[in-house]
């Protein structure tokens, strides 16, 4: 009976370890998803076209067509999408445009279109 309890305890420890591993994995996926959603929000605020956003998404899905061994496909897609969104030119142009905007407003001879 004692041996059976020891075995049950070992099984429960293994299950607990698997649950903890899954919790950590889900936490990483959640963080990556939040990063992607924040990038999408920034692009929406910059009025990115649906066509450009669609190209980014299709590019992501195309590059993740053949999953890499040892990497969860969901995490791979989110990671690739985050990289594609981060590389989007609009996000990199935004600070320059904002920096130029106050200068153009301070010069009354500049006409903005």
């Amino acid at each position: 009976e004692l041996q059976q309890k020891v075995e049950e305890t070992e099984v429960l420890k293994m299950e607990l370890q698997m649950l903890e591993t899954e919790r950590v994995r889900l936490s990483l996926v959640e963080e990556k998803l939040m990063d992607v959603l924040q990038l999408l929000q920034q692009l929406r605020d910059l009025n990115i076209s649906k066509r450009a956003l669609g190209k980014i998404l299709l590019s992501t899905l195309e590059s993740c067509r053949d999953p890499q061994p040892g990497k969860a496909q969901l995490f791979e897609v989110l990671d690739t999408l985050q990289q594609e969104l981060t590389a989007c030119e609009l996000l990199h142009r935004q600070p320059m445009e904002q920096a130029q905007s106050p200068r153009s407003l301070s010069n009354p001879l500049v006409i903005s279109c």
Side-chain angles (χ1 to χ4, degrees):
E1 189 176 313
L2 183 60
Q3 180 64 26
Q4 185 180 1
K5 292 289 184 186
V6 168
E7 289 173 3
E8 287 176 6
T9 303
E10 288 300 316
V11 168
L12 289 173
K13 282 182 182 178
M14 285 177 32
E15 288 178 3
L16 182 62
Q17 189 175 20
M18 288 172 35
L19 285 173
E20 181 62 22
T21 301
E22 185 66 12
R23 186 192 67 76
V24 169
R25 187 188 72 78
L26 288 174
S27 177
L28 291 172
V29 168
E30 181 184 24
E31 287 177 26
K32 187 62 70 173
L33 184 58
M34 290 301 296
D35 291 343
V36 166
L37 291 174
Q38 287 175 347
L39 288 168
L40 286 170
Q41 181 69 41
Q42 289 176 8
L43 289 172
R44 186 184 72 116
D45 292 344
L46 293 172
N47 295 322
I48 187 172
S49 72
K50 291 178 183 179
R51 184 179 194 145
L53 191 56
K55 285 181 180 181
I56 292 170
L57 184 58
L58 288 174
S59 172
T60 298
L61 294 174
E62 182 66 29
S63 66
C64 295
R65 182 184 296 196
D66 300 321
Q68 296 177 2
K71 200 171 188 186
Q73 188 167 6
L74 173 64
F75 193 78
E76 181 182 353
V77 170
L78 285 174
D79 191 41
T80 305
L81 182 57
Q82 181 190 22
Q83 291 171 10
E84 292 277 343
L85 291 171
T86 301
C88 182
E89 291 179 19
L90 283 176
L91 287 175
H92 298 293
R93 273 194 258 156
Q94 178 189 17
M96 291 177 62
E97 289 173 0
Q98 287 178 347
Q100 291 174 353
S101 182
R103 273 189 253 136
S104 64
L105 292 176
S106 64
N107 188 346
L109 299 176
V110 173
I111 301 172
S112 63
C113 297

